[in-house]
Amino acid sequence: MMGRSSNLLSRSGSFRPENLGQNAMAMIGNLCFTIFVVGVLIFTIIAATYEPEDPLFHPSTKMTNFLTSKSNATFKADDTVVRTGEDFLGPNQTVFSTFINLTDVDVPMAIGTESVTEDNLDCRGKTDDPIDCTDPDVFHLLMRAAIEKFKDIHFFRFGKPVRGSNDSSCHMAWRFRPKEGKTASLYKDYRSFVVSRSENCTLDVVSIGDYHSGGNARKRKRKNKGGSDRTTAKLDEGFEKAPQKIEGQDIALPVVGEAVNDSLPVVESESSFGSGKYLIYSGGGDRCKSMNHYLWSFMCALGEAQYLNRTLIMDLTICLNKIYTSSGVDEEGKDFRFYFDFEHLKDSASVLDQVQFWSDWNKWHKNDRLGLHLVEDFRITPMKLSEVKDTLIMRKFGSVEPDNYWYRVCEGETESIVQRPWHLVWKSRRLMDIVSAVASRLNWDYDSVHVVRGEKARNREMWPHLAEDTSPESLLSTLQDKIDDGRNLYIATDEPDTSFFDPLKDKYSTHFLDEYKDLWDENSEWYAETAKLNNGNPVEFDGYMRVSVDTEVFFRGKKQIETFNDLTKDCKDGINTCTSSS
């Protein structure tokens, strides 16, 4: 009895008035701790399982502007083609010398518009003698023929002609841009000319070949001491000096059509390797994301490397997101050089391939006692690393998204300090050469329309009018006041059956990407060069490449009709999502 009385007294003592405050505080503390534990548990589960909407979790103002810029409005809504450095340069920002007019080309004793007389040659019985392509008169003849034939481009440089495939053929190269071009790029073409000589010593251009038919006039590669291909630094002989800089900035312009040298840079000696400073990003959740996401993060790493005055060690292998693959799954093993201009990057910035770097590191770091500084928190800013003396700074990213995204390094106070060097990354010039070939086959004289159908046209809840507004009947009605009858009309579309657009053939000469498959098939230059990059294995012309070329051909049309801006009142991102810029 005494024990039970003692317990009752003890319990009753705890409910005494003077103890109520203490008990209440204990209960509140326990409740708060329980809520905290539950909150941490919920946050951990969400962080481990939640995948933020691509491309980014909390995009900064700069990222928002990057993704929503009006220049690529229709295509950007589908998160397809990433913008690169050349897209940020308007055509009015470029500085070009006066282009070459027909009146600028001397034609001594010309007969007709495409003829010159060889004063010092007795032509009797010699009409079949070889044409001297190095003769200045022949040079002037070919220039005049090119300027007269290609009326929709401006010529900025002509290369001196060289002998073609036979005695009556000359090959000549030139640099140009379309008269109504909306991009900053220059283009290079080289064509075959067939020249005839008449009995009265008159030379005439009989025909001009197709795009890139004059291969002998192309700048060639030569072998360096290491045996790898290297493009000669010398400009094409005979070309007049043409500016390739952006006004106020020392930034070169892309020249589409030149031979590409994107061999990997190497460090030639132990001493030069040991004296270098390097930055590498390792791991993270950026892999297999959209190309927009990939490039936004990569540019952060490149910007930090430049800020720290270090060489960026980069992984040239890319995991292509499933939205771009024919298999419908993410695909590893893609090469950076398939999609971007690595030659321009390595010539403009200090970068190394990580496979080569780790090989050199393992070979030399013990002898030279090279230091490694490991950073495992993205909140350690580049500014705090500016005084690090170690040879290598490694940023290691964890497994929890989105805190393991590379671009997080460039957020916050860093955003105003570390600038993403957009001018260093351009689109692959091999892909852009396909674009140039398509436009050249259309003589750079065509209009374009982008027709979005696919899943969106089938989803009438989100896009109630899209299917009807992009039907052939509606297209004919909409385009009649926008595109003149008989025009070349390039149709960029995700509609797999292009016969769907056959009714448009009554008014327009319609063209689609698949008409130009020879530009990437097994007999093409693109096929051979990408296979070489891929250890001799053929490379698929994948969905990202297709939509890249389709988009860029679209943007080179003289008139550009976009789906959501011009063909339908439906919103790009679905019902009730329209903005003033849509």
Side-chain angles (χ1 to χ4, degrees):
M1 288 291 294
M2 289 296 293
R4 293 181 61 188
S5 299
S6 170
N7 289 338
L8 289 172
L9 288 171
S10 175
R11 289 179 181 178
S12 61
S14 65
F15 289 101
R16 292 175 182 175
E18 59 270 24
N19 293 333
L20 288 178
Q22 182 179 354
N23 293 336
M25 291 298 295
M27 291 177 64
I28 293 173
N30 291 336
L31 180 62
C32 290
F33 180 73
T34 301
I35 293 173
F36 172 75
V37 171
V38 172
V40 169
L41 180 61
I42 293 173
F43 178 80
T44 302
I45 293 173
I46 292 175
T49 61
Y50 176 68
E51 185 171 336
E53 181 180 355
D54 201 47
L56 301 176
F57 186 45
H58 291 304
S60 67
T61 301
K62 289 184 179 181
M63 184 60 185
T64 302
N65 293 336
F66 169 71
L67 290 176
T68 61
S69 173
K70 294 187 294 185
S71 64
N72 296 25
T74 300
F75 285 93
K76 300 314 292 180
D78 296 328
D79 193 24
T80 49
V81 181
V82 66
R83 297 183 73 202
T84 49
E86 67 271 40
D87 295 322
F88 292 91
L89 304 173
N92 293 331
Q93 289 180 274
T94 57
V95 182
F96 293 106
S97 61
T98 304
F99 57 86
I100 302 172
N101 287 299
L102 192 63
T103 55
D104 298 326
V105 182
D106 293 331
V107 184
M109 300 183 66
I111 302 176
T113 57
E114 293 185 357
S115 305
V116 295
T117 300
E118 296 187 353
D119 297 323
N120 300 323
L121 178 63
D122 182 357
C123 296
R124 287 173 295 182
K126 299 181 181 180
T127 56
D128 294 330
D129 282 5
I131 299 296
D132 182 8
C133 298
T134 63
D135 189 315
D137 283 346
V138 174
F139 186 20
H140 295 152
L141 171 67
L142 302 189
M143 283 193 287
R144 289 181 62 86
I147 294 171
E148 288 189 330
K149 181 176 177 62
F150 305 111
K151 299 183 183 300
D152 286 284
I153 64 176
H154 285 317
F155 293 87
F156 292 94
R157 283 179 165 183
F158 281 103
K160 288 183 178 178
V162 297
R163 187 180 188 279
S165 56
N166 54 50
D167 290 344
S168 62
S169 171
C170 296
H171 291 182
M172 184 175 70
W174 59 78
R175 290 188 183 179
F176 69 95
R177 67 191 303 261
K179 288 183 178 179
E180 300 185 26
K182 301 176 179 64
T183 62
S185 300
L186 286 171
Y187 301 86
K188 181 178 179 179
D189 198 354
Y190 33 91
R191 304 244 184 169
S192 174
F193 293 74
V194 176
V195 183
S196 69
R197 181 188 293 111
S198 67
E199 292 289 349
N200 65 356
C201 301
T202 298
L203 295 179
D204 291 287
V205 172
V206 176
S207 64
I208 301 177
D210 294 331
Y211 179 78
H212 281 195
S213 57
N216 292 349
R218 185 183 186 186
K219 183 167 61 178
R220 296 298 180 183
K221 297 178 181 179
R222 59 185 173 86
K223 299 288 185 179
N224 62 16
K225 293 181 180 179
S228 60
D229 289 337
R230 181 176 61 177
T231 305
T232 58
K234 186 179 179 181
L235 291 175
D236 302 83
E237 284 191 34
F239 276 16
E240 296 297 329
K241 184 178 180 181
Q244 298 178 52
K245 303 293 181 181
I246 303 304
E247 188 173 6
Q249 304 177 60
D250 189 25
I251 301 173
L253 294 178
V255 180
V256 177
E258 294 281 19
V260 179
N261 172 25
D262 48 13
S263 58
L264 301 181
V266 296
V267 180
E268 296 183 352
S269 68
E270 180 178 357
S271 59
S272 60
F273 182 86
S275 62
K277 300 294 182 183
Y278 308 96
L279 171 70
I280 189 169
Y281 280 30
S282 176
D286 303 273
R287 202 155 187 86
C288 300
K289 294 295 192 296
S290 74
M291 201 66 87
N292 270 316
H293 183 138
Y294 165 78
L295 194 62
W296 187 248
S297 284
F298 173 75
M299 294 301 295
C300 173
L302 188 58
E304 181 179 24
Q306 291 207 314
Y307 174 80
L308 297 174
N309 197 26
R310 288 175 174 264
T311 297
L312 180 66
I313 309 305
M314 57 180 291
D315 183 358
L316 265 74
T317 64
I318 290 178
C319 175
L320 192 66
N321 186 273
K322 60 186 178 183
I323 65 175
Y324 312 119
T325 65
S326 58
S327 64
V329 297
D330 300 337
E331 293 182 1
E332 288 279 5
K334 304 293 184 177
D335 196 304
F336 179 93
R337 295 170 289 182
F338 296 165
Y339 310 100
F340 304 105
D341 186 350
F342 185 67
E343 179 179 7
H344 173 63
L345 177 61
K346 70 177 182 178
D347 288 345
S348 308
S350 184
V351 295
L352 283 176
D353 171 46
Q354 71 169 10
V355 175
Q356 179 66 46
F357 172 80
W358 285 124
S359 174
D360 292 341
W361 177 271
N362 292 332
K363 183 167 52 178
W364 292 326
H365 87 280
K366 291 182 180 179
N367 294 340
D368 294 341
R369 297 180 181 179
L370 306 178
L372 186 155
H373 186 87
L374 183 63
V375 181
E376 296 185 277
D377 188 344
F378 72 85
R379 288 166 293 195
I380 297 178
T381 67
M383 295 77 81
K384 294 179 180 178
L385 300 176
S386 59
E387 300 300 323
V388 172
K389 303 298 183 183
D390 294 285
T391 301
L392 175 63
I393 294 177
M394 173 187 284
R395 281 196 180 271
K396 192 172 182 180
F397 296 82
S399 59
V400 179
E401 299 184 28
D403 285 347
N404 64 350
Y405 291 164
W406 292 5
Y407 68 79
R408 300 301 300 271
V409 173
C410 294
E411 292 183 337
E413 62 176 316
T414 305
E415 188 173 41
S416 61
I417 305 298
V418 174
Q419 303 298 315
R420 285 177 169 83
W422 291 111
H423 60 282
L424 298 181
V425 177
W426 295 343
K427 295 179 180 68
S428 161
R429 283 190 286 138
R430 293 188 178 92
L431 289 179
M432 295 305 296
D433 201 26
I434 295 177
V435 174
S436 181
V438 173
S440 291
R441 290 184 183 182
L442 295 170
N443 290 321
W444 296 89
D445 183 21
Y446 65 95
D447 301 314
S448 53
V449 58
H450 180 213
V451 183
V452 174
R453 289 185 57 81
E455 292 295 331
K456 289 187 175 182
R458 291 188 286 272
N459 187 344
R460 292 184 179 272
E461 291 186 4
M462 294 294 288
W463 294 275
H465 308 103
L466 182 60
E468 180 181 351
D469 291 342
T470 57
S471 67
E473 296 74 22
S474 294
L475 288 172
L476 283 169
S477 176
T478 303
L479 296 178
Q480 66 178 351
D481 296 326
K482 301 177 183 292
I483 307 294
D484 294 336
D485 290 3
R487 289 283 294 162
N488 281 320
L489 181 64
Y490 184 85
I491 302 177
T493 183
D494 58 357
E495 174 61 49
D497 182 11
T498 56
S499 66
F500 175 82
F501 300 99
D502 280 354
L504 276 68
K505 292 181 178 180
D506 292 338
K507 290 192 65 174
Y508 308 108
S509 177
T510 58
H511 304 274
F512 302 89
L513 180 61
D514 280 344
E515 292 179 25
Y516 308 97
K517 286 183 177 179
D518 63 293
L519 296 172
W520 63 83
D521 68 15
E522 60 185 9
N523 297 315
S524 68
E525 186 173 298
W526 177 89
Y527 185 93
E529 292 192 359
T530 53
K532 185 177 180 181
L533 293 178
N534 201 35
N535 298 317
N537 299 311
V539 174
E540 178 190 7
F541 193 71
D542 59 49
Y544 186 79
M545 297 172 185
R546 289 183 61 88
V547 78
S548 293
V549 172
D550 216 18
T551 304
E552 295 299 329
V553 174
F554 168 85
F555 282 124
R556 280 153 184 77
K558 288 186 174 179
K559 292 182 180 178
Q560 301 158 13
I561 310 300
E562 297 194 9
T563 302
F564 298 104
N565 288 344
D566 304 304
L567 301 180
T568 182
K569 292 183 179 179
D570 282 355
C571 305
K572 290 180 295 185
D573 299 318
I575 195 167
N576 297 327
T577 62
C578 289
T579 63
S580 58
S581 63
S582 295

